Amino acid sequence: MSRRYLLPLILIFLTLLAVAAHAQTAPGSLGSLLPSPEHPKDLAASLKLLVGLSVLSLAPALLMMLTSFTRIIIILSFLRSALGTQQTPPNAILVGLALFLTFFIMYPVWQKMDAQAVKPYLAGTLRYDQAAVRAAVPLRTFLLRQTREKDLGLFLTLSKSPRPRTPDEISFRVLVPAFVISELRTAFQIGFVLFIPFVVLDLIVSSVLMSLGMMMLPPVMVSLPLKVMLFVMVDGWHLISRSIVLSFN
């Protein structure tokens, strides 16, 4: 297998290990199922196979929950609803665009993970547990930069965890759900802003039709082409893509 195809699998593998390594080792938690990093040889072959299968099954969830994908796909869905174009663009196109924007935004993070963890791991200079800890650093930085303190405080309180003194002490068990709800809030805020011009256009069209006595004509038949024309004239896809990327800086 070439390194081009091996790198994403290793990054996903190290991400899962990083989440597991920083999880609190309470009974029944993922961290309690893995052996101590001081004794990596205790990891049996059957458990290695189990971890590998878990990586493959959790890969879609990791892609959606630990990257910018959640915010992007929600914003694009709001945009399609605001335009009122039903299934245009199709779901496959929206998901594909969201994936490529996600790769573009997350590329600097993955580049750091590659330099700090993947390359030394492939070269044999790091054990898997050491590579997992190093891979977690860029990912943690990205998640913390996009997460609100209020959301972090909520899950710290719910988990009854001690207040961390440094960002490195924040467990992924707390950080990941806080990041997700922060992303949802940001996506809904941007979606609300997207709706405003299209709602104003709908109100104008409805008022004009009523004043002309054309109450039997559905307003959507007039407003839909006007909204599409307005979106094209302002180069909407360029503006949306630019706004999404800049929202992560």
Side-chain angles (χ1 to χ4, degrees), residues 16-100:
L16 180 65
L17 290 178
V19 174
H22 289 80
Q24 293 185 358
T25 55
S29 66
L30 179 62
S32 63
L33 298 178
L34 296 176
S36 174
E38 287 79 10
H39 305 285
K41 294 183 180 180
D42 295 340
L43 188 63
S46 58
L47 188 55
K48 288 183 179 180
L49 177 62
L50 177 62
V51 171
L53 293 175
S54 300
V55 169
L56 294 178
S57 63
L58 292 175
L62 290 174
L63 177 63
M64 291 187 293
M65 297 292 101
L66 298 180
T67 65
S68 57
F69 181 83
T70 300
R71 183 190 304 186
I72 297 172
I73 193 62
I74 292 177
I75 292 174
L76 295 179
S77 299
F78 269 117
L79 175 62
R80 186 173 64 181
S81 299
L83 283 170
T85 53
Q86 301 301 323
Q87 294 300 316
T88 304
N91 290 332
I93 300 299
L94 291 185
V95 172
L97 177 59
L99 283 174
F100 279 103

Side-chain angles (χ1 to χ4, degrees), residues 10 107 167 175 188 217:
I10 295 177
Y107 181 76
L175 180 57
F188 272 70
L217 179 64

Side-chain angles (χ1 to χ4, degrees), residues 99-149:
L99 283 174
F100 279 103
L101 286 176
T102 299
F103 294 151
F104 181 82
I105 293 170
M106 298 299 299
Y107 181 76
V109 178
W110 292 337
Q111 204 172 29
K112 292 179 181 178
M113 294 174 68
D114 181 32
Q116 297 178 13
V118 176
K119 288 181 179 177
Y121 179 72
L122 293 177
T125 58
L126 287 179
R127 299 195 308 270
Y128 80 94
D129 55 313
Q130 295 173 329
V133 173
R134 287 195 180 186
V137 175
L139 181 62
R140 179 190 298 276
T141 302
F142 172 80
L143 297 180
L144 284 173
R145 192 168 64 244
Q146 306 301 328
T147 305
R148 298 190 307 162
E149 292 185 7

Side-chain angles (χ1 to χ4, degrees), residues 3 9 172 182 198:
R3 189 174 183 274
L9 293 178
F172 272 94
S182 296
F198 299 111

